[in-house]
Amino acid sequence: MIALTLAEITAAVGGDLRVAGEDTTETVVDGLVDTDSRTMGPGSIFVAKPGAETDGHRFVGAAADAGAVLAIVEHPVDVAVSQIVVPDAVAALGALAKEVVARVRAGGDLRIVGITGSNGKTTTKNFLARILEAEGETVAPVKSFNNEVGAPVTMLRVTESTRFLVSEFGAAAPGSIAHLAGLVEPDVAVVLMVGMAHAGGFGGIEATAKAKAELVAAARVPGTAVLNIDDARVAAMRDLADSRGLRTVGFGQGPAADVRAHDIEVSASGTACVVEVDGERLPLRLRVLGAHHVSNALAAIAAAHVLGVAPADAVARLETVEIAERWRMQPLGSDRVRIINDAYNASPDSMAAALRTLAQITGPDERTVAVLGAMSELGESAGEEHDRIGLLAVRLNIRRIVVVGPEARRLYLAAVGEGSWDSEAVHLPDQDAAFEYLRTELRDGDRVLVKSSNSVGLRHLGDRLGELFS
């Protein structure tokens, strides 16, 4: 974080300062800001966030012992460290992030990109960060830090020398993206897609589209909206961008795209295509598996181009990315038995894309195996969407369909109903049962996809299988 006095921090968060030891209102703090006491070090700021399972106020002492010099709390704690008492610690975290980013922006050349979408946010964020870091100091989220805590924690990592801030915005509810994007007012607003992920929590896909459009509504004017024109709901956000005076750059495979991909080829070694920007044709070979990642790459190239990066440079840097993120189409195992661990998250769109990738990268003498768990947060559409994935797996001729957990049983029943029988489809109660089954079932030449929502935890099963067959 940039250097601020305790008085300045107190004013930013609207709290009541209680100094400790030799501190005064003019004591300067410039360390890490976080809600996790385990990340604290000398000069850091600990935000005591109440939680469903534990309360951050219990760890103020541990944070101070680790070097924290300030705690933002909702009530005073009997620990010898300066404290700012606020009504809401998470709101204070966001307010501090807003103040810090505003100061850096006012005093330098900071450019901010916001990314949202039902799928692909983290991959696109990583792609764009790889492109921009060669241009100057770039701050981007760790993992999927995209909520009311993770996004401000990332924002607070900017300093006077930061040139680019890449923010990833998830939506827990309507208004979430508006709030988070409003903290920084991105210069570039990237909307990837509107899908069924989390649609149950929003009341349907149209409400989800409205929530994603909040990013375009929060973008800084003048600024740019980078929109996926292959997605009709995202493309329709052009009207909102126009009404606000934003420039629009479209990406996709259609002829109207400003940043366009064609001749897409998927193999076990990666994904190749030709990228066309301003009439220039550039071959791109991603090491990341899956045709669906081409759209993420296009979004990153388009956003970087808006920020002044030559498309040829962007393409060259993307080709150095080995995996999108841990547990996202991550190759494990060996050439003998290849495990693709894509179980960090799952929606109907990402599940379908992963299954198609599995089918595309498997040779005629190899066998496809899909290990599938439940997709969460689909609301009333859950049953229908699990049916659809079961049917798709059979129609893609996936040779072994291994369904894990009671919540995914309907996927299994749909596969059986579509004609996957005689042990081609099995339903197992949990990860341990699945591991025991697969350790004897898998054989040389198998290509195995492990896919589920994060809450199901099949990513750990994928790791175990990767280690077993490495």
Side-chain angles (χ1 to χ4, degrees), residues 95-371:
L96 182 58
K98 183 175 184 177
E99 176 70 13
V100 166
V101 171
R103 287 181 179 234
V104 173
R105 190 178 228 159
D109 189 31
L110 178 65
R111 304 294 299 282
I112 301 172
V113 181
I115 300 171
T116 195
S118 297
N119 299 113
K121 294 184 294 296
T122 299
T123 299
T124 304
K125 171 263 298 184
N126 288 340
F127 282 168
L128 183 57
R130 178 62 60 88
I131 294 170
L132 295 178
E133 64 189 10
E135 302 290 321
E137 182 180 306
T138 300
V139 171
V142 177
K143 299 180 182 177
S144 293
F145 278 21
N146 61 24
N147 63 11
E148 62 181 355
V149 173
V153 164
T154 299
M155 296 167 188
L156 285 162
R157 288 168 42 210
V158 302
T159 67
E160 290 86 350
S161 59
T162 302
R163 186 172 175 191
F164 302 105
L165 168 63
V166 180
S167 288
E168 176 184 340
F169 300 130
S176 294
I177 294 173
H179 166 67
L180 294 174
L183 298 178
V184 294
E185 297 182 347
D187 301 286
V188 183
V190 181
V191 185
L192 301 171
M193 66 171 296
V194 175
M196 288 300 296
H198 315 301
F202 289 94
I205 196 165
E206 295 304 329
T208 302
K210 186 176 180 180
K212 302 306 180 188
E214 292 171 6
L215 177 57
V216 178
R220 189 179 183 90
V221 178
T224 304
V226 175
L227 304 177
N228 178 3
I229 64 166
D230 291 344
D231 185 313
R233 292 181 176 87
V234 178
M237 296 177 195
R238 181 188 292 269
D239 291 340
L240 173 59
D242 290 344
S243 71
R244 299 197 61 240
L246 300 173
R247 173 192 175 202
T248 298
V249 173
F251 66 91
Q253 296 180 44
D258 300 293
V259 179
R260 177 173 172 248
H262 50 82
D263 297 333
I264 299 173
E265 297 180 0
V266 179
S267 70
S269 61
T271 308
C273 67
V274 175
V275 176
E276 194 165 340
V277 187
D278 295 338
E280 184 179 8
R281 296 165 59 91
L282 301 163
L284 168 65
R285 178 166 291 279
L286 293 171
R287 302 188 196 184
V288 181
L289 299 176
H292 52 295
H293 287 307
V294 170
S295 181
N296 301 328
L298 293 178
I301 294 168
H305 191 37
V306 170
L307 295 171
V309 180
D313 291 336
V315 165
R317 294 164 195 170
L318 285 178
E319 292 185 332
T320 69
V321 179
E322 295 184 1
I323 63 171
E325 182 82 33
R326 187 182 180 192
W327 300 320
R328 287 178 168 87
M329 298 302 286
Q330 181 182 6
L332 299 171
S334 62
D335 289 340
R336 186 170 65 88
V337 177
R338 175 63 66 196
I339 309 296
I340 303 169
N341 194 351
D342 192 35
Y344 185 83
N345 224 329
S347 68
D349 296 305
S350 67
M351 185 79 83
L355 284 169
R356 291 191 182 99
T357 299
L358 176 66
Q360 289 171 325
I361 68 171
T362 304
D365 297 326
E366 299 169 341
R367 185 175 66 157
T368 50
V369 180
V371 184

Side-chain angles (χ1 to χ4, degrees), residues 393-411:
V394 176
R395 291 169 183 174
L396 288 172
N397 197 31
I398 304 300
R399 302 297 297 277
R400 285 288 184 272
I401 302 170
V402 181
V403 181
V404 184
E407 298 85 357
R409 180 171 174 78
R410 188 155 167 177
L411 192 160

